Amino acid sequence: MEASSGLIAGSHNRDELVIIRQEGDGVKPLNHVDGQVCHICGDDVGCTIDGELFVACNECAFPVCRPCYEYERKEGNQSCPQCKTRYKRHKGSPRVENDEEEDDVDDLENEFNFHDDKQDQQHIAEAMLHAHMSYGRGDDLDLPPQMMETLHPQHPLLTNGETFSGELHGIPPDHHAIVVPPMGGGGKRVHPLPYSDPNLQVQTRSMMDPTKDLAAYGYGTVAWEERVHSWKMKQEKMQMMMTEGHQLPGGKDGDPTEYDDNGADLPIMDESRQPLSRKVPIPSSKINPYRMLIVIRLVVLGFFFRYRILNPVPNAYPLWLTSVICEIWFAFSWILDQFPKWLPINRETYLDRLSLRYDKEGEPSQLAAVDIYVSTVDPSKEPPLVTANTVLSILSVDYPVDKVSCYVSDDGAAMLTFESLSETSEFARKWVPFCKKFNIEPRAPEMYFAQKIDYLKDKVQPSFVKERRAMKREYEEFKVRINALVAKAQRVPEEGWTMQDGTPWPGNNTRDHPGMMQVFLGHSGGHDTEGNELPRLVYVSREKRPGFNHHKKAGAMNALVRVSAVLTNAPYMLNLDCDHYINNSKAIREAMCFMMDPTVGKKVCYVQFPQRFDGIDKNDRYANHNTVFFDINLKGLDGVQGPVYVGTGCVFRRQSLYGYDAPHAEKKNNKGCVCCPTGCCGPRKKFKKSKKKHSEKKKKASRTESSLPIFNLEDIEEGVEGYDLENTSLVSQKTFEKRFGQSPVFVASILLENGGVLQSSNPASLLKEAIHVISCGYEDKTEWGKELGWIYGSVTEDILTGFKMHCRGWRSIYCMPARPAFKGSAPINLSDRLHQVLRWALGSVEILLSRHCPIWYGYGGRLKWLERLAYINTTVYPLTSIPLVAYCTLPAICLLTGKFIIPTISNFASLWFISLFISIFATGILEMRWSGVGIDEWWRNEQFWVIGGVSAHLFALFQGLLKVLAGIDTNFTVTAKSGDDQSFGELYTFKWTTLLIPPTTLLIINLVGVVAGLSDAINNGYQSWGPLFGKLFFAFWVIVHLYPFLKGLMGRQNRTPTIVVVWSILLASIFSLLWVRIDPFLPKVQGPNLQQCGINC
């Protein structure tokens, strides 16, 4: 994958493939020798004995000189550093172990010339100074054994890296198989490279003395076996107790160094073997009162509805019936929202343990590779500078560079996005080394330079100030170049855009263009200003043709899944919106603490991070932070089966998107009953292996067709290098292609559970195959969007995709690091915010009216019932808009008619009303107590729940019904992203939309009702004030919840439009005078008034 190969555009259906090179580029093969310099030591590659250029690897032609080639064959892993193909013996090279007989190589004079001179050792020493040890994708290079001698002791380590001095459990020193000499004498060691000193040789003793039994050395005795077995049992016991956050006996906060008598027999585990994360349960002093109050509130609700149903209001029966129906629905919605929060938990990660296990200093990193997706559509609504900052934060993330690949999906095929990404790749060569050198946070330059903090804090390098000023100047120049591109894009030529070489831009017609791909940073050319390798950066724009359904964002994400599988095939994926930058450079490591944990990682389909936002006003008028959802609801779901997928800031396991079932947990206890499949009386009894397989097949056959897995993940747990599709016993190649599409390269990548590209592939074929998998007709007659990838059928494809994974038995993890992992922008304008909520609610309605509705879908799967309640709540909440609108209208009707929804109540009956209100407030207070959410954030959420419910949710419900019943589709509206968050000018901008009509109407009629009620009370005297208070409280409840909406209508703070004030006073005066004069709701008395006046006439 070459960074200089140019823009590749093509269409598989039309059999077209064009490479548009940059200006000045000549025609270069995709697989060529990059000069005659060795990429290991920097020397000349040299020539063969026949005078031709020496080529070590015949597969990829990776430049390696003969001395490095000879050393790799003799002392290394005998394979090419780039493609991992085993080196073949060349003429003039000595034969080494595992060499095959080669008929075409006749070189007997050199075949057994195993020379070992000091010159070669010196050459290898110099090579180590210039080595690119992690060049290319694939398995990490292993250091040769000679280079590892001083890094690791030569005697066996019996306790995970811990060494022992003296005698080993009573074994005499003369019985040790290896004797380590004392480090003293013999001169000083000044070698800078990891080579063993020949003067300090390890004394070995023969273990093969035929006159002695192995037991004489201590390693073959029964006592030794018992000690090893006891040690293993203790390690397993420790692992079980540390897994899932269980506290060690006698330890404080799970500290393994503090034990009481019950845990005295447990050893202190090696740090690298301990779990990478743990659950932190909510303290019982906080969660138990919360649960008790929920039960009490349920009891109070029961008595409350008993009274309400048995005591109707005869003179206001329609109002009473409407209010009771609304209240029952509100109670049902509360239950759906409340019970999934029954088991909230927190989590902790241990990044130091992750590094000790997978990323040891001085050794090749064993961390898993990650493909990162950034999606964008319209650069006019999603500014290129915002996207550029997101990409820069990805390229500078704290993760091994050869493990990171960034794919930017341009679904609008915009020339502006392409050009800005090209500028971004050039600026990254300066920005990335600056970030890593000084360890700055955040690593999005716009946000870093805008911070109003002491940027010199914790900085000790004298050059920091100078380099920061220079980098800020470089970034400002970069911004100017991006702004120039934006200004140029405003004037589109009539003939369309052309590239530098005069070639027309393939995406001039955004609805009819070929697939396009450009590798900006790759193997060659992907280095920063200091010569260090940079992560990969790939531009992708899928093919679009008229007559095809491209499925909006979900289709673009599925195209990225396929193209990344062909090019890099990382086992994990992170998807981000173009405005969500990485705020915590260790965010990927945080996710890997769960994904790569051997105890919990196998069943995790994704790790979801909370969404945090910049540029929101201090008071958060429209609840943009959505703190209640992210800090309360998702925490509760994490204790059940995991949080729902919220569309961005999520790290996926690639295999979970391919339709695999989650691996089944091993049941160790064979006692229990078989009366309940969920194990109510204990685990099921284990049967024979054949019967178990038969029962599993029978269970799968009973599922609905839509919930069938592609195949079990357990079936390919031992995964495959060079997997042969023709010999597979799982499914035939034809079945694979029917589900995944007609791409043999992509199908082969699916079977590589641990990721990586097939060894036999070459860059030219991969690029051609990448164009194939993003063609518009690739998904025809496949399972994409139905069972694979992002699921189609809703504009909120995120909820649907996560729901399908949970139905297959996967669980998700909610990760909330102390420093927010990602931050984005949110619409702070009232109209934009309502349109965003409208789109979310419309997606929920589409799911509710589809076959994937959680009310009836997936009962044959492994979805937990509390998780199902949460998904039901996410789909039915737009229905609450109808009773909410009716309930907010009732106060005005009651004030205008003089009637009320509640009859005159006794003192005893009033206790149920008082108890209900107290339980509602107490539940909120205790919820805020265990979650840490502030009362202002909780109140803003309550207010916007009413505002969105009577506007966006109501419109979404009707639009969803029109789409399903009448086939009238609605357009997908991209939420505008703001590039300037300084002045909050958008907060006070008034944008008229039909979504403003329902809440405005409710405000007016309730204000009119309050004026009318007060006027009536003044007119009728003291006795009418008592019944008025209940009605006024009801009306003020509505007005207070709609107050942020009222402020949005008024515009900028302290600048209320004069016309609004004048009309408000005028309308209030008119209605007050009319009410006193006409009094229309009092019965008119005909004839003389016969009522007693109290005076003897």
Side-chain angles (χ1 to χ4, degrees), residues 813-840:
I813 297 291
Y814 195 50
C815 182
M816 297 181 64
R819 180 180 179 86
F822 311 100
K823 281 190 175 183
S825 61
I828 60 175
N829 180 266
L830 176 59
S831 299
D832 293 338
R833 173 70 166 139
L834 290 178
H835 276 291
Q836 183 187 53
V837 176
L838 170 66
R839 183 169 63 85
W840 295 342

Side-chain angles (χ1 to χ4, degrees), residues 45-212:
V45 171
C47 300
T48 63
I49 58 177
D50 298 329
E52 298 179 356
L53 182 68
F54 179 76
V55 179
C57 179
N58 295 327
E59 297 292 333
C60 66
F62 181 64
V64 176
C65 63
R66 180 176 284 274
C68 293
Y69 160 80
E70 298 286 0
Y71 176 81
E72 186 68 25
R73 278 173 46 81
K74 181 181 177 182
E75 306 292 350
N77 54 18
Q78 301 181 0
S79 62
C80 174
Q82 177 171 264
C83 66
K84 303 302 178 184
T85 305
R86 189 180 184 277
Y87 277 140
K88 295 183 178 180
R89 187 176 68 86
H90 292 284
K91 189 174 182 180
S93 300
R95 184 179 296 276
V96 298
E97 188 179 359
N98 298 327
D99 270 351
E100 298 178 356
E101 295 293 338
E102 299 169 353
D103 297 334
D104 56 340
V105 179
D106 186 11
D107 188 29
L108 295 177
E109 59 186 10
N110 295 303
E111 188 167 344
F112 301 101
N113 184 19
F114 294 96
H115 63 279
D116 184 12
D117 54 16
K118 296 181 179 180
Q119 185 177 359
D120 285 348
Q121 293 185 2
Q122 178 65 24
H123 176 83
I124 299 303
E126 294 175 359
M128 285 296 297
L129 295 176
H130 303 87
H132 306 292
M133 296 304 296
S134 57
Y135 189 95
R137 178 74 62 177
D139 296 335
D140 293 319
L141 296 177
D142 296 326
L143 289 176
Q146 285 78 3
M147 299 181 183
M148 300 298 293
E149 287 178 359
T150 57
L151 293 180
H152 301 288
Q154 296 297 312
H155 55 281
L157 301 179
L158 304 177
T159 56
N160 301 310
E162 296 181 4
T163 61
F164 291 88
S165 59
E167 296 186 0
L168 179 63
H169 296 285
I171 299 176
D174 58 344
H175 282 187
H176 287 180
I178 297 178
V179 178
V180 182
M183 296 298 295
K188 299 181 180 179
R189 301 188 63 193
V190 295
H191 298 285
L193 297 173
Y195 285 95
S196 58
D197 194 328
N199 296 325
L200 297 174
Q201 296 183 356
V202 178
Q203 304 173 15
T204 60
R205 296 181 182 269
S206 174
M207 290 290 293
M208 303 303 294
D209 189 349
T211 63
K212 293 186 178 180

